[in-house]
Amino acid sequence: MSEMGKLWWNSVLAKGFINPGLSFSKSAMIFLLAKNGRVDSEDRRSRHCPYLDTINRSVLDFDFEKLCSISLSHINAYACLVCGKYFQGRGLKSHAYIHSVQFSHHVFLNLHTLKFYCLPDNYEIIDSSLEDITYVLKPTFTKQQIANLDKQAKLSRAYDGTTYLPGIVGLNNIKANDYANAVLQALSNVPPLRNYFLEEDNYKNIKRPPGDIMFLLVQRFGELMRKLWNPRNFKAHVSPHEMLQAVVLCSRKTFQITKQGDGVDFLSWFLNALHSALGGTKKKKKTIVTDVFQGSMRIFTKKLPHPDLPAEEKEQLLHNDEYQETMVESTFMYLTLDLPTAPLYKDEKEQLIIPQVPLFNILAKFNGITEKEYKTYKENFLKRFQLTKLPPYLIFCIKRFTKNNFFVEKNPTIVNFPITNVDLREYLSEEVQAVHKNTTYDLIANIVHDGKPSEGSYRIHVLHHGTGKWYELQDLQVTDILPQMITLSEAYIQIWKRRDAGETNQQGA
């Protein structure tokens, strides 16, 4: 190399245009390309970023909607890793670029591609120390990790120093969404449903019609599952903001964040919407939702003559075909259990009596013998029910609320139920009993409604399979609870797990 060439070479090195470890020929090529504005991305991102120590992990929160805090656009959104705010773009005059110059915040993360950039210099940063940030933004689980989730009893430590059990994580109550929080917490502790949504490959290739918004519900639920079960969270709670935004949008504002809703209504809508968005149909096409929760029953219906008719006319009508008992096979996602009417009188000390009823008393509705009268605007019917198929996970919805034209009334009756070993064999028909070998269930989730119908609050008891312990979750609060205390609450929704052959009770009850 000539003396002039060496001087040029040293000046190029001194200005940091190229990597001194590369050969002269490759370096010269890179420099010449750089002068023409065509630097190979692989070589540009090899530049060391001096601003990594300015990243503030304590302000990073990826639970909220990924949109620019100025333009409110979802397109090309970046998170500033110094202040935690979201901005659009990274080119000249973009909101992220202006923010980096104005406040000297230099490290940004593309919320879609998960790539890190230094602004305003606009080069990509490759550094292994940033992997914990991308994992919090988008947690991933291997098949082995998923298989071991219910065997883990180890506490995880969040970045803020708090410890938590993955899966037993508080959900933020934005305003009045505790009814949805409790249902989402319950579903996140149903292992086969959780495992399906932890692995995005299970549903990312499902074809949906153009412009279909319902699939957003599936994507957001999957993201929420992965955040709830993330063993490397920065904090010991999760905000369900994006999940609830999808619920508001997909339900066309039937369910909202700012207005208290009914847990059973939400559960019913959510399971059906999830099943439909996954490509399921009413009869033929099954999904993970129906595989886990769907059972079947026979419904026997008999029309009754109008009560004001004379006895002779009633007797005559009962011989007509219209008044004969009919039977239909029907599927169900959950069973509604009716409470007996609460007494209105008080005891000697003028205290309201809190009535109690055993679980098996209200389950008698499904024994195929008990008849219940149903009234419509014009006609009355007698119905009886008999179960023909028990699902792996059985949901009970205890009917606490009755609505009339003026107000909603709540029945405070306490249901006495065992936590484990509930055998439902007697509610199956004889021919089904012979085929159905496993009919014993253990409780895994119990949603409670406290207070008045319109102003009340929700909390949930969940079983952590790894430890065999019960926990109570109410929004951000997580406390352990004795199994005996669960039965004293005003249970509203319950999820029961069927014991498979040879399986024993794993609970700490």
Side-chain angles (χ1 to χ4, degrees):
M1 192 190 301
S2 66
E3 202 64 39
M4 186 68 77
K6 284 179 182 175
L7 286 171
W8 172 80
W9 176 244
N10 289 334
S11 69
V12 168
L13 288 175
K15 287 176 183 175
F17 285 128
I18 53 174
N19 187 336
L22 296 174
S23 67
F24 168 73
S25 57
K26 186 172 182 183
S27 299
M29 182 66 74
I30 290 168
F31 178 66
L32 291 171
L33 288 171
K35 286 189 75 176
N36 292 322
R38 291 186 291 123
V39 174
D40 187 288
S41 62
E42 185 185 342
D43 294 302
R44 283 190 69 181
R45 58 188 190 194
S46 64
R47 287 176 62 178
H48 174 69
C49 181
Y51 302 111
L52 295 186
D53 59 346
T54 64
I55 294 173
N56 185 0
R57 284 169 170 80
S58 62
V59 299
L60 300 183
D61 189 345
F62 300 123
D63 291 344
F64 292 92
E65 230 180 329
K66 312 293 189 294
L67 49 82
C68 174
S69 56
I70 297 170
S71 69
L72 303 182
S73 170
H74 293 87
I75 300 165
N76 208 17
Y78 287 78
C80 172
L81 301 186
V82 182
C83 65
K85 292 178 181 174
Y86 297 167
F87 299 97
Q88 188 177 14
R90 71 172 197 275
L92 287 172
K93 298 183 181 177
S94 68
H95 297 300
Y97 186 94
I98 293 165
H99 177 76
S100 72
V101 174
Q102 195 172 357
F103 294 95
S104 293
H105 293 175
H106 299 290
V107 190
F108 290 78
L109 167 62
N110 185 306
L111 295 167
H112 180 66
T113 65
L114 309 188
K115 290 181 178 180
F116 297 88
Y117 293 91
C118 182
L119 296 181
D121 295 354
N122 200 12
Y123 60 84
E124 188 181 343
I125 305 163
I126 302 289
D127 197 297
S128 58
S129 68
L130 302 173
E131 285 176 6
D132 62 327
I133 296 174
T134 51
Y135 194 84
V136 167
L137 175 56
K138 194 170 183 181
T140 53
F141 292 81
T142 64
K143 288 189 186 321
Q144 188 60 47
Q145 285 173 321
I146 293 171
N148 290 332
L149 278 180
D150 292 330
K151 300 169 190 171
Q152 297 284 346
K154 192 175 144 188
L155 286 168
S156 291
R157 185 175 291 277
Y159 181 77
D160 61 6
T162 53
T163 55
Y164 67 96
L165 269 171
I168 308 295
V169 177
L171 281 176
N172 190 24
N173 188 354
I174 297 163
K175 188 166 183 185
N177 55 275
D178 55 341
Y179 71 98
N181 283 1
V183 170
L184 294 169
Q185 288 281 16
L187 295 177
S188 78
N189 278 276
V190 176
L193 189 74
R194 172 203 67 198
N195 295 353
Y196 178 87
F197 281 96
L198 285 178
E199 207 171 344
E200 197 176 359
D201 288 346
N202 288 330
Y203 54 85
K204 72 177 181 183
N205 295 322
I206 291 174
K207 290 179 181 175
R208 298 298 299 159
D212 174 56
I213 60 164
M214 295 305 287
F215 198 68
L216 186 65
L217 211 61
V218 175
Q219 292 170 320
R220 293 286 182 258
F221 187 59
E223 288 167 11
L224 183 66
M225 290 302 99
R226 290 189 285 277
K227 285 176 179 176
L228 286 171
W229 287 90
N230 182 3
R232 291 156 56 187
N233 264 328
F234 282 175
K235 53 191 186 313
H237 64 270
V238 171
S239 175
H241 190 269
E242 285 191 294
M243 175 77 249
L244 294 171
Q245 290 279 49
V247 165
V248 173
L249 182 68
C250 295
S251 71
R252 297 181 182 178
K253 298 187 178 178
T254 302
F255 301 100
Q256 300 194 32
I257 300 171
T258 54
K259 187 180 172 187
Q260 184 69 281
D262 182 90
V264 172
D265 290 347
F266 175 68
L267 173 70
S268 176
W269 172 83
F270 188 72
L271 290 180
N272 284 300
L274 215 54
H275 170 65
S276 176
L278 287 166
T281 56
K282 280 189 178 179
K283 290 185 178 178
K284 290 184 179 178
K285 204 164 180 189
K286 292 179 172 281
T287 63
I288 184 66
V289 178
T290 50
D291 288 344
V292 172
F293 295 117
Q294 193 177 77
S296 61
M297 67 169 86
R298 288 180 188 145
I299 303 174
F300 301 88
T301 307
K302 196 193 309 182
K303 188 177 174 182
L304 295 174
H306 195 279
D308 297 339
L309 291 173
E312 288 180 9
E313 199 173 331
K314 280 185 188 177
E315 190 67 35
Q316 204 169 2
L317 283 172
L318 289 173
H319 294 291
N320 294 353
D321 288 346
E322 189 186 350
Y323 290 87
Q324 300 309 303
E325 189 174 67
T326 58
M327 187 271 286
V328 292
E329 287 271 356
S330 176
T331 57
F332 64 86
M333 288 285 201
Y334 60 87
L335 296 177
T336 302
L337 306 183
D338 304 314
L339 290 173
T341 307
L344 300 174
Y345 56 84
K346 298 180 179 182
D347 67 4
E348 293 169 357
K349 295 179 182 176
E350 290 296 306
Q351 296 294 313
L352 278 170
I353 293 171
I354 299 176
Q356 300 187 27
V357 61
L359 175 67
F360 291 101
N361 282 23
I362 55 176
L363 271 172
K365 172 183 176 181
F366 299 99
N367 62 10
I369 302 164
T370 305
E371 291 183 318
K372 188 176 188 309
E373 190 172 346
Y374 290 84
K375 296 180 180 180
T376 64
Y377 180 67
K378 288 183 178 179
E379 300 170 317
N380 293 357
F381 295 91
L382 269 183
K383 290 190 177 186
R384 56 192 180 94
F385 308 88
Q386 188 165 43
L387 304 180
T388 53
K389 183 193 170 190
L390 293 170
Y393 288 81
L394 183 59
I395 302 176
F396 290 157
C397 295
I398 297 164
K399 195 175 180 184
R400 292 205 170 271
F401 302 104
T402 48
K403 299 174 186 177
N404 59 33
N405 294 334
F406 304 103
F407 58 89
V408 178
E409 193 177 5
K410 182 180 177 184
N411 187 329
T413 301
I414 300 291
V415 178
N416 296 322
F417 56 90
I419 297 286
T420 61
N421 217 26
V422 170
D423 193 351
L424 301 179
R425 180 166 292 276
E426 65 181 282
Y427 305 102
L428 296 168
S429 58
E430 286 184 15
E431 72 272 19
V432 176
Q433 283 183 20
V435 183
H436 237 303
K437 291 181 181 176
N438 306 317
T439 56
T440 303
Y441 284 80
D442 300 320
L443 187 69
I444 61 163
N446 181 57
I447 295 175
V448 179
H449 182 275
D450 297 306
K452 295 177 182 177
S454 54
E455 304 164 14
S457 61
Y458 285 84
R459 56 194 166 98
I460 180 171
H461 305 123
V462 291
L463 172 71
H464 185 263
H465 298 279
T467 58
K469 291 182 179 176
W470 281 90
Y471 291 86
E472 180 175 277
L473 295 92
Q474 186 164 22
D475 300 328
L476 296 179
Q477 291 182 313
V478 180
T479 51
D480 50 0
I481 186 171
L482 292 170
Q484 304 91 287
M485 301 300 291
I486 296 168
T487 59
L488 303 176
S489 59
E490 292 178 20
Y492 189 34
I493 301 169
Q494 297 182 328
I495 303 181
W496 297 76
K497 178 187 182 295
R498 189 178 67 203
R499 266 190 227 171
D500 294 326
E503 193 179 352
T504 54
N505 172 32
Q506 299 295 316
Q507 299 188 28

